[in-house]
Amino acid sequence: MSDVLLLAGVALCLSSIVLAVVQLLQTQPPRAAALAFVAGVFLLFVGAWTSPEPFGPGTIPAALQSVTGGAVTP
């Protein structure tokens, strides 16, 4: 479960960048981007807190491998 939360948090944080750019190009305040970023950070914290292992830089590729059930190729 923590792997899914970590990956969802990363996905929301990355999509918030795209949302911010689109909303700024449309001269709108990036409210949706800010909400997506906050939700992504929250999911990252919850995923790291529920994981029995320490959280580090190698955790995200390991979580992707665990969720997809295969090898992750860069």
Side-chain angles (χ1 to χ4, degrees):
M1 181 67 180
S2 64
D3 293 339
V4 175
L5 290 172
L6 289 173
L7 292 177
V10 168
L12 276 174
C13 287
L14 291 177
S15 67
S16 72
I17 296 169
V18 175
L19 282 170
V21 169
V22 168
Q23 288 179 333
L24 288 174
L25 287 175
Q26 294 177 351
T27 64
Q28 296 176 352
R31 292 183 184 119
L35 288 174
F37 183 75
V38 169
V41 170
F42 176 74
L43 288 177
L44 281 172
F45 277 120
V46 171
W49 184 60
T50 59
S51 177
E53 301 168 359
F55 185 68
T59 306
I60 302 300
L64 184 60
Q65 185 177 5
S66 171
V67 169
T68 58
V72 178
T73 57

